[in-house]
Amino acid sequence: MLPILRRHGAPPPGTTAVAPSFQVVLACLMASGPAALHAQSARGSLDLGSSIIRYADSIDVNAIAISPAFRVVGSPGSLGGAGTLAQASGFSSLSGFLYGTLASSFARPVSIEVGSAVGGSTHSDRTRTGQMLGTARLYLNGSRGGAWGGGGLGRTWDGELWRSVVQGTAGAWTAWGWGSAVLSLSPTAVDDTIRYTDALVTLNRRAGILELTGSFGARVGDPVPSLVTDRTWGSVSIAAWWRPTVAVVASGGTYPVDFTQGFPGGRYLTVALRLATPRPLTLEAARTSEAATAEGIVAFQVESSGSVRKLRVRAPSARSVELAGDFTKWDAVALSAEGNGWWSVSREIPSGTHQVSIRVDGRAWVAPPGLVAVRDEFGGSSGLLVVK
């Protein structure tokens, strides 16, 4: 027997968390893994926005939503959660989830992570859902990326029946100083009635004050022709951080049927104001010289003339040297060879504290020697440059 797909009672999507499917929960667990567990950090946010939703190509809803979220990441694991309170004309919805993980060190080539997640929703039409999932994953870790494989067991409730869920997970990720990319595969079995596999690609890119996120998914498996008309979905989100803790976020796209909880697929468009804690940075001064030396960088200097700073890098064996920082809007800038292993570039840099990274011969981005290194939530490394 197939789970009942409700035409009413589904909460608006496009906010921080709305009745997350098991694939979304797994993505959250994975995202708190290798790219983030290098650091100890905590972050929270609150979205206040309005959504336009079209469910199952037949029902249009306008809703106002409040969506808080938090995440705490440390060396032994992570803890996080999110929720959404949505109000539409004659209808309200409350949903959310919590997750936690424990992991061995991601600084090693191979690591193990176990996690669990619980979530659910309740709606003014008296429909409710619930879900719980335990997972285990094996990671292969690199300095700028890696891969994982594993699976999970859980239970899901569509408001009428509890069902068993078995889900596998596999994928790969890569992160750099201002972005990340994730590819995941999630084969899923709901009781003995539904089997399908979801593939999801997620890209994140930071450019100046803008943070861009895009995703594309596809589903293969049991056809269920009377319930599923579209096997692909995608979304785009743009956050403009006009202050370090305040952003305007616009997002839109489509999302698939959630067989585990009985929600139909649909389309959405959301505009929200996001209030957030500052992005976490982690000091890693001890690793700075080692990483730079491994890339053949032996010295870094800054010479000032008014507001123009000449940045000099000594890398005797380099064929090319590039620099990127917040003062270049994280665009790579090529340095010119001066001779005797020195490379330089002049930029107008205001006084204050800045972040800067260096790349030699197109390899990994590293913090310049002599600067305190920081690692952000995307797994990127840069140096703190104090300009007086």
Side-chain angles (χ1 to χ4, degrees), residues 250-276:
S251 59
T254 60
Y255 58 97
V257 170
D258 182 352
F259 288 120
T260 64
Q261 296 187 93
F263 290 131
R267 305 174 184 179
Y268 70 95
L269 178 64
T270 297
V271 177
L273 177 68
R274 178 168 297 168
L275 308 176

Side-chain angles (χ1 to χ4, degrees), residues 307-363:
S307 62
V308 176
R309 324 291 177 177
K310 185 177 183 180
L311 307 175
R312 304 181 72 223
V313 176
R314 190 161 191 263
S317 61
R319 296 186 300 273
S320 67
V321 178
E322 296 170 289
L323 176 147
D326 52 14
F327 48 86
T328 71
K329 297 182 178 180
W330 292 108
D331 291 330
V333 176
L335 277 65
S336 300
E338 289 186 341
N340 196 28
W342 284 97
W343 301 74
S344 68
V345 66
S346 295
R347 305 286 295 191
E348 186 169 339
I349 306 174
S351 301
T353 301
H354 301 274
Q355 294 183 56
V356 59
S357 295
I358 297 174
R359 180 168 67 178
V360 173
D361 296 338
R363 296 193 296 267

Side-chain angles (χ1 to χ4, degrees), residues 20 57 81 108 241 329 364:
D57 293 327
R108 300 175 181 175
W241 292 91
K329 297 182 178 180

Side-chain angles (χ1 to χ4, degrees), residues 16 41-47 67-72 81 241 244-245 274-280 377:
T16 303
S41 65
R43 195 179 188 195
S45 66
L46 179 68
D47 283 13
S67 303
F70 77 96
R71 184 177 69 176
V72 180
W241 292 91
T245 59
R274 178 168 297 168
L275 308 176
T277 57
R279 295 187 177 188
E377 60 182 323

Side-chain angles (χ1 to χ4, degrees), residues 32 37 40-43 70-74 77-81 99:
S32 66
L37 285 179
Q40 176 70 47
S41 65
R43 195 179 188 195
F70 77 96
R71 184 177 69 176
V72 180
V73 177
S78 62
L79 175 68
Y99 71 85

Side-chain angles (χ1 to χ4, degrees), residues 33-233:
L37 285 179
H38 296 286
Q40 176 70 47
S41 65
R43 195 179 188 195
S45 66
L46 179 68
D47 283 13
L48 308 172
S50 177
S51 298
I52 302 173
I53 314 103
R54 184 173 180 83
Y55 294 117
D57 293 327
S58 60
I59 300 174
D60 295 317
V61 176
N62 296 325
I64 297 175
I66 301 175
S67 303
F70 77 96
R71 184 177 69 176
V72 180
V73 177
S75 56
S78 62
L79 175 68
T84 291
L85 173 62
Q87 179 67 54
S89 178
F91 173 77
S92 62
S93 171
L94 177 64
S95 63
F97 73 95
L98 293 171
Y99 71 85
T101 67
L102 291 174
S104 60
S105 175
F106 284 100
R108 300 175 181 175
V110 178
S111 59
I112 299 174
E113 180 188 67
V114 294
S116 62
V118 295
S121 65
T122 180
H123 316 284
S124 59
D125 62 0
R126 298 184 179 181
T127 58
R128 293 177 175 85
T129 68
Q131 59 182 359
M132 51 188 176
L133 179 70
T135 61
R137 281 183 297 279
L138 177 70
Y139 286 94
L140 302 178
N141 307 306
S143 61
R144 291 292 176 179
W148 78 91
L153 299 173
R155 299 279 287 172
T156 182
W157 181 54
D158 66 3
E160 297 182 4
L161 297 175
W162 282 97
R163 293 180 171 83
S164 298
V165 174
V166 179
Q167 188 167 56
T169 176
W173 63 275
T174 183
W176 51 96
W178 49 90
S180 62
V182 179
L183 168 64
S184 65
L185 297 174
S186 302
T188 302
V190 183
D191 277 347
D192 295 326
T193 58
I194 298 178
R195 288 179 173 83
Y196 59 90
T197 298
D198 287 347
L200 184 66
V201 177
T202 303
L203 303 173
N204 186 286
R205 170 82 162 101
R206 285 178 293 160
I209 65 171
L210 297 181
E211 184 175 340
L212 311 176
T213 303
S215 64
F216 176 79
R219 175 173 293 172
V220 297
D222 292 339
V224 199
S226 62
L227 298 176
V228 180
T229 59
D230 194 347
R231 291 179 172 273
T232 60
W233 63 92

